[in-house]
Amino acid sequence: MVGSIGIDGLISGMKTTELIDQLLAVEGNQQKLLASKRTGLQSVVSALQSLNTKVASLGTAATTALKAESWQTTTASSTSTSVVAVTSTDATPSSVTMTVDTLASSQSTLYTLPTSYSDAKPMFTLAIGGELKTITASSDHIGDIVSAFNAEGTGVSASAVNVGTAKDPVYKLQLTGTTTGATNSFSLTAINPNDGTALSAQSLRTAADAQITLWPGTPGETKVFSSSNEFKGVLTGVDLTVSKTGAEEVTVTVGRNAATMSKLAANIVTNLSAVLGDIADRTKSSTGTATDGGSILKGGLLSGNTAVRVMQQAALTAGALQVDGKSPASVGIVLGKDGTFTYDEAKFTAAYNADPVGTQKIVQAVASTLETAATSASDPTKGSLTAQIKSYEGEVSDLADRIADWDDRLTTRRASLTRTYTAMEVAMSKMQSTSNFLSQQLAQLNANNAS
């Protein structure tokens, strides 16, 4: 086959492979230009994607700060460790004074059991919480009776108490309610005692409610009861748990959680700084070398990008807002002369403690401006940065296809040039063979004529 013949200088002496490479290098310059353009566009896409992620995070932080419930976080304090207060999202600033009078308790009773029963399985009626339950043991052995009362759902726990000696044990049955509160008291009767006598009971502890007194010693003094040691909703959104009684007055105070509120503002500044820092890095100029060897000032990768410039301007505008004559700097969101933001937590805390409503208003004004700008830029369907990313990604994909087409085109061109130069070498080889044959014939003819 012609394509398998080596062609470098077989007949002509020409370096045809090198010549083909040079010709293809000239024709492939267009592909190199496309590849260079694709690399540049891919860098822009990566930069925009990175910025877009940061802008979206800024939008999320701003949206969180705009929600009313984000500013409703409260914390509760108590003047005594015997009263623990827990707040929910419904809690509002308030306070209450109280004394803890009694703690909730469950009933505990010691029973003397019958000596025998009318059948092999002792049966008892347990009246607890207004409900009657039948307890049946598998035998009259004290262990089986205890197990029957300890079954799930009886409402009591049981144990055998030896009031005799180790050698001559005498067992009594101790029942203890599993739930505190006066309504959870119980009584026990034997259904089938052999002697027909009632059970003998000794009270160890009665079931009782917990009791606190609100505003003790005032005309508004009020007693509040709970079946457990937890008092739910004594204040709006506040649950109290008591653990010790005493005449000491305890004050529970509920206030706004300044530390949590501070995190809202701090989160905005953190994300805002990330956005502005990224913009600054992507738009700053650098010094390069011109074609003539001199220095040239080169713009940043995203310099001149309108969407980026609009986002940057919106951030700076947010830092310069005036709300009721006060700037964000008054609540710790400080815009520096260099166009960067810092957060002063101490200043925010002081401002919030002095005027929580006004401080919230300023932070939310900043958040509103930033949320609008962030949404306009990074919205997944119509954001300006999102649209640019999609457009550039389309161009990058198109360039990749065009570069691949050039690979096919250059491969085809190389094959064509190889065939051409191979054919030339073959033709020259044939001509040389003909020339050699003619030369031989002429030489033979001359030799014949000479003889």
Side-chain angles (χ1 to χ4, degrees):
M1 295 177 62
V2 173
S4 63
I5 299 176
I7 62 173
D8 270 354
L10 286 175
I11 303 301
S12 65
M14 297 170 58
K15 297 181 179 180
T16 49
T17 299
E18 183 177 330
L19 179 61
I20 290 173
D21 288 340
Q22 292 173 349
L23 290 172
L24 291 176
V26 173
E27 294 186 32
N29 281 335
Q30 182 63 34
Q31 186 188 40
K32 292 179 180 179
L33 292 174
L34 293 175
S36 177
K37 184 177 180 180
R38 180 177 180 271
T39 299
L41 284 177
Q42 187 59 61
S43 297
V44 173
V45 169
S46 297
L48 288 174
Q49 288 173 332
S50 174
L51 177 60
N52 201 35
T53 299
K54 294 180 176 65
V55 171
S57 294
L58 173 60
T60 299
T63 299
T64 300
L66 284 172
K67 294 178 179 178
E69 57 266 29
S70 297
W71 295 86
Q72 291 175 350
T73 303
T74 55
T75 184
S77 61
S78 172
T79 58
S80 174
T81 56
S82 65
V83 178
V84 176
V86 178
T87 62
S88 66
T89 56
D90 297 329
T92 56
S94 54
S95 67
V96 66
T97 300
M98 71 187 73
T99 58
V100 181
D101 306 321
T102 61
L103 297 179
S105 60
S106 61
Q107 178 181 335
S108 184
T109 304
L110 191 65
Y111 291 97
T112 301
L113 297 174
T115 55
S116 62
Y117 302 87
S118 60
D119 57 45
K121 295 183 178 181
M123 299 177 66
F124 303 88
T125 297
L126 178 67
I128 181 169
E131 182 181 357
L132 295 178
K133 300 180 180 181
T134 299
I135 310 297
T136 303
S138 60
S139 77
D140 61 0
H141 188 278
I142 185 63
D144 291 334
I145 294 175
V146 168
S147 295
F149 279 97
N150 282 332
E152 185 177 355
T154 62
V156 295
S157 62
S159 59
V161 181
N162 183 9
V163 297
T165 64
K167 183 178 180 181
D168 298 308
V170 177
Y171 290 102
K172 289 191 176 184
L173 177 68
Q174 181 180 346
L175 297 182
T176 301
T178 55
T179 308
T180 60
T183 60
N184 293 304
S185 61
F186 60 82
S187 62
L188 182 68
T189 57
I191 296 176
N192 58 345
N194 200 32
D195 55 8
T197 58
L199 294 177
S200 173
Q202 295 171 293
S203 177
L204 304 178
R205 185 177 65 229
T206 59
D209 291 336
Q211 175 186 308
I212 60 175
T213 300
L214 304 180
W215 311 291
T218 71
E221 179 176 293
T222 303
K223 296 186 182 302
V224 180
F225 302 88
S226 173
S227 62
S228 69
N229 289 323
E230 184 177 9
F231 292 80
K232 291 184 175 293
V234 174
L235 296 171
T236 302
V238 181
D239 296 335
L240 305 177
T241 300
V242 298
S243 59
K244 182 181 179 182
T245 62
E248 173 192 8
E249 291 188 1
V250 180
T251 299
V252 173
T253 303
V254 179
R256 296 293 186 192
N257 192 335
T260 301
M261 302 303 103
S262 177
K263 290 179 181 179
L264 293 173
N267 199 28
I268 288 176
V269 174
T270 298
N271 284 277
L272 183 54
S273 296
V275 169
L276 292 178
D278 202 8
I279 291 176
D281 288 341
R282 307 288 189 181
T283 57
K284 66 181 178 182
S285 300
S286 60
T287 302
T289 303
T291 54
D292 60 359
S295 296
I296 185 173
L297 192 64
K298 300 169 59 179
L301 191 61
L302 299 181
S303 59
N305 187 298
T306 302
V308 172
R309 188 166 58 249
V310 168
M311 184 65 234
Q312 184 182 40
Q313 187 58 46
L316 298 177
T317 299
L321 286 174
Q322 289 289 318
V323 180
D324 297 333
K326 295 182 179 180
S327 70
S330 66
V331 297
I333 302 176
V334 183
L335 173 60
K337 293 181 180 180
D338 59 353
T340 61
F341 281 83
T342 56
Y343 180 65
D344 189 330
E345 183 177 2
K347 184 174 288 187
F348 175 90
T349 302
Y352 187 81
N353 289 335
D355 182 11
V357 175
T359 301
Q360 176 181 341
K361 189 175 181 180
I362 293 173
V363 173
Q364 288 188 321
V366 172
S368 179
T369 299
L370 294 176
E371 183 192 48
T372 299
T375 301
S376 176
S378 65
D379 183 86
T381 57
K382 56 183 179 181
S384 56
L385 290 178
T386 305
Q388 286 192 8
I389 291 170
K390 290 179 179 178
S391 176
Y392 284 132
E393 285 179 333
E395 290 188 49
V396 169
S397 179
D398 179 66
L399 286 170
D401 292 339
R402 293 169 64 185
I403 291 170
D405 290 342
W406 266 101
D407 285 336
D408 294 338
R409 186 183 305 178
L410 292 174
T411 298
T412 301
R413 180 60 173 156
R414 176 179 292 277
S416 176
L417 289 172
T418 299
R419 286 195 298 271
T420 298
Y421 281 102
T422 299
M424 180 190 72
E425 291 290 340
V426 171
M428 291 181 66
S429 176
K430 290 180 178 180
M431 292 174 62
Q432 188 176 55
S433 296
T434 302
S435 175
N436 290 338
F437 174 76
L438 291 175
S439 295
Q440 291 174 359
Q441 292 300 316
L442 288 173
Q444 184 64 42
L445 180 61
N446 290 333
N448 292 335
N449 289 335
S451 59

PDB file of all heavy atoms in Angstrom, residues 52 65 100 153 181 247 262 264 299 311 384 413:
ATOM      1  N   ASN A  52     -20.540  34.009  42.524  1.00  0.00           N
ATOM      2  CA  ASN A  52     -21.981  33.773  42.619  1.00  0.00           C
ATOM      3  C   ASN A  52     -22.332  32.971  43.876  1.00  0.00           C
ATOM      4  O   ASN A  52     -23.354  33.224  44.522  1.00  0.00           O
ATOM      5  CB  ASN A  52     -22.473  33.029  41.378  1.00  0.00           C
ATOM      6  CG  ASN A  52     -23.965  33.192  41.157  1.00  0.00           C
ATOM      7  OD1 ASN A  52     -24.528  34.247  41.436  1.00  0.00           O
ATOM      8  ND2 ASN A  52     -24.609  32.167  40.654  1.00  0.00           N
ATOM      9  N   ALA A  65     -31.762  37.576  58.474  1.00  0.00           N
ATOM     10  CA  ALA A  65     -31.852  38.766  59.323  1.00  0.00           C
ATOM     11  C   ALA A  65     -33.162  39.518  59.124  1.00  0.00           C
ATOM     12  O   ALA A  65     -33.603  40.260  60.004  1.00  0.00           O
ATOM     13  CB  ALA A  65     -30.674  39.693  59.038  1.00  0.00           C
ATOM     14  N   VAL A 100     -41.067  28.427  95.879  1.00  0.00           N
ATOM     15  CA  VAL A 100     -41.355  27.024  95.610  1.00  0.00           C
ATOM     16  C   VAL A 100     -41.835  26.402  96.916  1.00  0.00           C
ATOM     17  O   VAL A 100     -41.061  26.271  97.880  1.00  0.00           O
ATOM     18  CB  VAL A 100     -40.106  26.289  95.070  1.00  0.00           C
ATOM     19  CG1 VAL A 100     -40.439  24.839  94.782  1.00  0.00           C
ATOM     20  CG2 VAL A 100     -39.582  26.978  93.818  1.00  0.00           C
ATOM     21  N   GLY A 153     -47.164  -0.880  81.707  1.00  0.00           N
ATOM     22  CA  GLY A 153     -48.496  -0.299  81.692  1.00  0.00           C
ATOM     23  C   GLY A 153     -49.256  -0.354  82.994  1.00  0.00           C
ATOM     24  O   GLY A 153     -50.391   0.125  83.079  1.00  0.00           O
ATOM     25  N   GLY A 181     -47.825  13.413  91.070  1.00  0.00           N
ATOM     26  CA  GLY A 181     -49.063  14.186  90.998  1.00  0.00           C
ATOM     27  C   GLY A 181     -50.177  13.551  91.802  1.00  0.00           C
ATOM     28  O   GLY A 181     -50.285  12.318  91.886  1.00  0.00           O
ATOM     29  N   ALA A 247     -38.565  29.199 101.428  1.00  0.00           N
ATOM     30  CA  ALA A 247     -39.286  30.462 101.560  1.00  0.00           C
ATOM     31  C   ALA A 247     -38.618  31.576 100.751  1.00  0.00           C
ATOM     32  O   ALA A 247     -39.188  32.659 100.591  1.00  0.00           O
ATOM     33  CB  ALA A 247     -39.367  30.860 103.034  1.00  0.00           C
ATOM     34  N   SER A 262     -26.540  39.424  67.797  1.00  0.00           N
ATOM     35  CA  SER A 262     -25.249  39.877  67.268  1.00  0.00           C
ATOM     36  C   SER A 262     -24.780  38.982  66.132  1.00  0.00           C
ATOM     37  O   SER A 262     -24.180  39.446  65.150  1.00  0.00           O
ATOM     38  CB  SER A 262     -24.201  39.884  68.387  1.00  0.00           C
ATOM     39  OG  SER A 262     -22.933  40.244  67.900  1.00  0.00           O
ATOM     40  N   LEU A 264     -26.565  37.590  63.918  1.00  0.00           N
ATOM     41  CA  LEU A 264     -27.257  37.954  62.676  1.00  0.00           C
ATOM     42  C   LEU A 264     -26.481  39.026  61.927  1.00  0.00           C
ATOM     43  O   LEU A 264     -26.257  38.939  60.717  1.00  0.00           O
ATOM     44  CB  LEU A 264     -28.671  38.453  62.986  1.00  0.00           C
ATOM     45  CG  LEU A 264     -29.666  37.435  63.542  1.00  0.00           C
ATOM     46  CD1 LEU A 264     -30.955  38.130  63.951  1.00  0.00           C
ATOM     47  CD2 LEU A 264     -29.956  36.345  62.516  1.00  0.00           C
ATOM     48  N   GLY A 299      -6.019  44.847  33.182  1.00  0.00           N
ATOM     49  CA  GLY A 299      -7.177  44.817  34.063  1.00  0.00           C
ATOM     50  C   GLY A 299      -7.408  43.434  34.639  1.00  0.00           C
ATOM     51  O   GLY A 299      -6.958  42.425  34.095  1.00  0.00           O
ATOM     52  N   MET A 311     -23.154  44.865  41.892  1.00  0.00           N
ATOM     53  CA  MET A 311     -23.161  44.181  43.180  1.00  0.00           C
ATOM     54  C   MET A 311     -22.250  44.905  44.168  1.00  0.00           C
ATOM     55  O   MET A 311     -22.599  45.089  45.340  1.00  0.00           O
ATOM     56  CB  MET A 311     -22.682  42.731  42.981  1.00  0.00           C
ATOM     57  CG  MET A 311     -22.724  41.875  44.235  1.00  0.00           C
ATOM     58  SD  MET A 311     -24.389  41.578  44.873  1.00  0.00           S
ATOM     59  CE  MET A 311     -24.197  42.144  46.556  1.00  0.00           C
ATOM     60  N   SER A 384     -28.338  38.125  37.260  1.00  0.00           N
ATOM     61  CA  SER A 384     -27.406  38.648  36.249  1.00  0.00           C
ATOM     62  C   SER A 384     -26.123  37.827  36.194  1.00  0.00           C
ATOM     63  O   SER A 384     -25.597  37.541  35.109  1.00  0.00           O
ATOM     64  CB  SER A 384     -27.083  40.119  36.544  1.00  0.00           C
ATOM     65  OG  SER A 384     -26.573  40.275  37.863  1.00  0.00           O
ATOM     66  N   ARG A 413      -6.124  16.466   6.944  1.00  0.00           N
ATOM     67  CA  ARG A 413      -5.138  17.217   6.136  1.00  0.00           C
ATOM     68  C   ARG A 413      -3.789  16.519   6.140  1.00  0.00           C
ATOM     69  O   ARG A 413      -3.116  16.445   5.103  1.00  0.00           O
ATOM     70  CB  ARG A 413      -4.999  18.630   6.707  1.00  0.00           C
ATOM     71  CG  ARG A 413      -4.009  19.519   5.971  1.00  0.00           C
ATOM     72  CD  ARG A 413      -4.375  19.705   4.524  1.00  0.00           C
ATOM     73  NE  ARG A 413      -3.510  20.675   3.884  1.00  0.00           N
ATOM     74  CZ  ARG A 413      -3.274  20.723   2.586  1.00  0.00           C
ATOM     75  NH1 ARG A 413      -3.847  19.828   1.752  1.00  0.00           N
ATOM     76  NH2 ARG A 413      -2.481  21.643   2.078  1.00  0.00           N
TER      77      ARG A 413
END
